[in-house]
Amino acid sequence: MNHTVYFADKSVIFTSDAPGGECYAVVPADPADLSRAKVTKILESHNCVAIVSADPDAAFRSFAADFTQIEAAGGVVVNDRGEWLMMRRNGRWDLPKGHLECGERIEACAAREIAEETGVCAEPVRPLCRTWHAYYFPKTERWELKRTHWYELRAAACGGLVPQTEEGIETVVWCAPAEAMAHAAGSFPTVRAVLERLETCLSADKKT
């Protein structure tokens, strides 16, 4: 199974086949030489890195061992007019998400974080996908690897939208799907991946 880890706008994929058609730095996965420091050094001069291994799962586990793993959840809320909920955080379009609390169910985390960050109360409908996001967190002075569980949720298109400004959220809006995809084009690759998955699921619904 292939895995993709995002470092903000850059990505590292763990795969059994070297990708074609895109500009990747291709790195054979030698477990003795596969480290976070090596990969982040390559990312200084490349936007994408492909870790090629006969066992991508094992290569990913070896790499992930260099991080503190964090669980999180978030999602895309669809209202009764078919609009999608998006927000701007620190100058970029984003989707609401946050850390899992002790004893909390992962889908409940998604709903809670959406309510806290946007003011919208929504009910989870189905899981969409999971993403991995790696970053250095100065407050704890450690590298963290966040696994975010993404959901589709439903809510009525009424009630006030309340951006959580203390979290850097500037605005919260309902968008037509095409508008949301246009916003995502200039956002983080994780946001694009989630919205593309939602679009695929909704298209499949129409065919059944």
Side-chain angles (χ1 to χ4, degrees):
M1 178 179 176
N2 291 353
H3 301 271
T4 301
V5 178
Y6 296 102
F7 288 73
D9 292 306
K10 301 188 176 188
S11 61
V12 178
I13 66 168
F14 296 80
T15 178
S16 57
D17 299 301
E22 296 187 61
C23 185
Y24 280 90
V26 178
V27 180
D30 179 355
D33 193 35
L34 183 61
S35 67
R36 182 192 66 233
K38 179 178 181 178
V39 172
T40 54
K41 182 66 176 177
I42 297 171
L43 284 172
E44 291 178 4
S45 54
H46 294 80
N47 288 329
C48 304
V49 176
I51 308 297
V52 180
S53 169
D55 188 346
D57 288 334
F60 172 73
R61 288 194 299 269
S62 176
F63 179 74
D66 268 351
F67 297 81
T68 298
Q69 188 167 320
I70 304 295
E71 295 289 336
V76 189
V77 182
V78 181
N79 69 21
D80 51 15
R81 294 199 296 256
E83 297 168 320
W84 301 356
L85 188 69
M86 292 195 76
M87 63 189 197
R88 283 184 68 85
R89 188 200 307 263
N90 298 323
R92 300 184 75 170
W93 288 102
D94 204 351
L95 296 169
K97 64 182 181 302
H99 291 179
L100 180 70
E101 295 183 352
C102 183
E104 188 176 35
R105 291 180 295 109
I106 196 71
E107 66 272 19
C109 173
R112 175 182 56 76
E113 286 290 342
I114 288 166
E116 290 176 357
E117 294 191 344
T118 70
V120 173
C121 294
E123 290 294 325
V125 173
R126 59 184 162 189
L128 292 173
C129 59
R130 293 180 296 181
T131 60
W132 295 94
H133 175 210
Y135 52 91
Y136 180 75
F137 193 44
K139 187 174 181 179
T140 56
E141 298 183 341
R142 67 186 187 186
W143 280 90
E144 297 182 349
L145 182 60
K146 181 189 294 181
R147 178 170 63 176
T148 304
H149 303 252
W150 295 98
Y151 289 84
E152 175 191 348
L153 302 94
R154 294 288 172 143
C158 60
L161 301 177
V162 184
Q164 191 178 22
T165 55
E166 61 267 30
E167 291 293 328
I169 301 169
E170 302 147 17
T171 187
V172 179
V173 295
W174 291 109
C175 304
E179 184 183 8
M181 297 301 289
H183 289 330
S187 187
F188 297 104
T190 48
V191 173
R192 293 194 293 274
V194 174
L195 292 188
E196 287 168 4
R197 177 59 182 163
L198 174 63
E199 191 174 50
T200 298
C201 291
L202 294 177
S203 295
D205 290 344
K206 292 178 181 178
K207 295 177 182 178
T208 58

